[in-house]
Amino acid sequence: MQPIAHPQKGDNIGAPRPDEAAMTNLSFLETILESLQDGVYVYASDTLRIRYMNEAARARHGWTRQETRKKRISDTAATFNTKSFFRAAAPLLSGEQSVITLELVHFTGPIEVSTRMVRTADEGDFFVSILRDISDRKCSQFEKVQTVSTVSHELRTPLTSIHGALRLLKAGAVAELDPKTQNVVDIAARNTDRLLSIVNDILDLEKINSNKMDFSIAEMDVVSCVNDTVEMIAGAALENDVRLDVGSDLRNAMVLGNPERISQVITNFTSNAIKYSPKGAPVRIGITQTEDGIVISVTDHGPGISEDQNRMLFKPFSQARAGDGSKRPGTGLGLAIVAAIAERLDYPVDFRSVVGQGSTFQFRIPSHLVLWTDPHDTADAAAG
């Protein structure tokens, strides 16, 4: 008969072995993930082979657990473009960004996908994507825009009349104004300009949402479009003591696009850059040709945008707080309009920002929409 071993002081009575503890923890985490309403996708960063999908994700695609082990993330949508995915995920792979959030239109409705990179010691690197249905949010935003746009329609006519009258007074067409009166009229004119801008933004977003805005495509020179747009907003830059610089790899670039809509995107990007730029600083508008198309970028030297504020960008009535903690006047509709226009034109939009150094917002005209270009030669570049 073997002697009974009595527990000694310090023994961990009843504690599971390390392998049992690990299994318990994994089981607990899987239970939590399985209960989430959002879809969770874990897949290899090189092959895109799916390692795990929670119940919500499997239900969205009608797959069983066994079927998911044979799938890649590219199998989740018929329109999934692997090359575009890796291009979008490049900042995660390089460590430049910790998360990328995109709004997409799935066959089930609008969705938001947030993706992070997880590096493991034993099994390699994985992407973890969280898919959230945002149909209710989009519906709420649409109703909000509809309500406000109804009021805006009623406001625009009287505002236009007031705006015209103030401009006449400001120009001295009615009477010569003394300095004190002139100053009051100038303030009223600036605020009327701002009100009209807000009203027009709201009505533009309503037009886009109700498919009333013109998105017809034609052959156009995008370099001329950029230069013409910069001329139109030069006055706003001058008023804010900001210099606009245009740099282009191209003399001309014939593309398929809509000049009015492209001009609207450039105007919104540049207006934001002017608003956040310090006095005397330059704002650079760049035109660059790459193997993927033509990139139009607007770069400022403002306070930048912190990473936790990135998800506020491009959403209606949302305004991200600058890196210095401040907010500038505005409706928060400018970038939402940009995103909607770019989506209709099939122009990918992107941005980079470093707190304390500035931001770059850009859109790309894909190569299949570029008809021909006329680059500057080396001698021209040296002379410029």
Side-chain angles (χ1 to χ4, degrees):
M1 184 174 178
Q2 296 294 327
I4 298 173
H6 294 282
Q8 300 298 312
K9 184 177 180 181
D11 285 351
N12 197 356
I13 303 171
R17 295 193 306 272
D19 56 340
E20 291 177 341
M23 290 297 292
T24 302
N25 288 338
L26 285 173
S27 177
F28 171 74
L29 290 174
E30 187 172 353
T31 301
I32 296 298
L33 292 173
E34 288 293 304
S35 67
L36 294 178
Q37 291 183 338
D38 296 339
V40 178
Y41 302 74
V42 181
Y43 48 102
S45 64
D46 49 1
T47 64
L48 303 187
R49 183 173 291 281
I50 293 173
R51 175 65 183 273
Y52 170 77
M53 288 169 59
N54 72 344
E55 184 179 355
R58 296 194 302 272
R60 174 175 284 273
H61 303 285
W63 295 342
T64 64
R65 284 178 180 268
Q66 290 71 27
E67 286 175 319
T68 61
R69 299 191 184 102
K70 303 174 184 177
K71 303 288 186 180
R72 286 182 166 81
I73 198 66
S74 52
D75 297 320
T76 57
T79 57
F80 192 100
N81 185 306
T82 302
K83 184 178 179 181
S84 297
F85 171 83
F86 277 114
R87 185 165 53 239
L92 294 179
L93 292 165
S94 66
E96 184 181 343
Q97 289 180 229
S98 62
V99 61
I100 292 176
T101 302
L102 300 172
E103 286 191 6
L104 305 169
V105 179
H106 194 259
F107 71 89
T108 58
I111 58 174
E112 179 183 83
V113 182
S114 294
T115 303
R116 291 180 179 271
M117 168 76 82
V118 175
R119 302 184 185 277
T120 67
D122 301 327
E123 299 190 48
D125 301 338
F126 291 86
F127 289 125
V128 179
S129 293
I130 310 298
L131 184 151
R132 175 167 295 170
D133 187 315
I134 55 172
S135 300
D136 291 341
R137 185 200 303 173
K138 287 292 184 183
C139 183
S140 175
Q141 288 174 352
F142 180 73
E143 289 174 357
K144 191 174 184 180
V145 171
Q146 284 283 79
T147 301
V148 178
S149 67
T150 302
V151 177
S152 299
H153 274 290
E154 298 300 321
L155 284 174
R156 186 157 65 172
T157 299
L159 271 175
T160 303
S161 298
I162 295 168
H163 178 264
L166 287 170
R167 287 293 173 186
L168 288 173
L169 282 172
K170 187 176 178 181
V174 177
E176 192 70 30
L177 303 178
D178 62 80
K180 188 175 181 179
T181 305
Q182 184 73 50
N183 185 52
V184 172
V185 170
D186 288 345
I187 293 171
R190 283 198 300 272
N191 281 285
T192 307
D193 286 343
R194 185 182 165 201
L195 278 173
L196 269 177
S197 176
I198 292 170
V199 168
N200 288 330
D201 279 350
I202 292 169
L203 294 178
D204 278 346
L205 196 59
E206 191 270 335
K207 280 182 183 178
I208 294 170
N209 289 335
S210 58
N211 295 315
K212 294 177 183 176
M213 183 171 279
D214 176 27
F215 284 97
S216 57
I217 301 298
E219 294 184 11
M220 57 165 288
D221 185 351
V222 72
V223 176
S224 294
C225 179
V226 170
N227 289 329
D228 291 344
T229 303
V230 170
E231 283 184 16
M232 286 191 298
I233 56 183
L238 189 63
E239 286 182 7
N240 288 271
D241 193 19
V242 172
R243 186 178 76 253
L244 300 182
D245 295 333
V246 180
S248 176
D249 292 348
L250 308 166
R251 284 197 193 91
N252 304 99
M254 197 61 65
V255 303
L256 292 176
N258 184 300
E260 191 173 350
R261 301 287 80 82
I262 290 177
S263 178
Q264 197 169 359
V265 171
I266 297 167
T267 298
N268 280 338
F269 277 167
T270 310
S271 296
N272 269 355
I274 291 170
K275 187 163 57 176
Y276 284 94
S277 289
K279 299 290 184 183
V283 168
R284 188 180 188 278
I285 298 92
I287 307 171
T288 308
Q289 185 168 20
T290 70
E291 62 178 12
D292 295 321
I294 295 175
V295 176
I296 314 296
S297 61
V298 178
T299 302
D300 65 61
H301 297 279
I305 304 164
S306 60
E307 190 173 303
D308 65 322
Q309 292 289 304
N310 287 353
R311 63 183 303 148
M312 303 289 291
L313 298 171
F314 301 104
K315 294 181 180 179
F317 302 103
S318 296
Q319 192 176 25
R321 195 173 295 279
D324 60 3
S326 65
K327 274 193 174 184
R328 305 301 195 271
T331 58
L333 289 176
L335 291 180
I337 291 171
V338 164
I341 290 174
E343 183 180 350
R344 298 296 180 92
L345 294 176
D346 196 23
Y347 293 171
V349 175
D350 195 11
F351 76 96
R352 301 184 302 277
S353 189
V354 178
V355 173
Q357 296 183 28
S359 305
T360 295
F361 285 82
Q362 64 185 42
F363 68 94
R364 176 172 55 84
I365 302 174
S367 54
H368 68 275
L369 298 178
V370 178
L371 303 177
W372 57 264
T373 61
D374 179 19
H376 287 295
D377 57 33
T378 306
D380 288 341

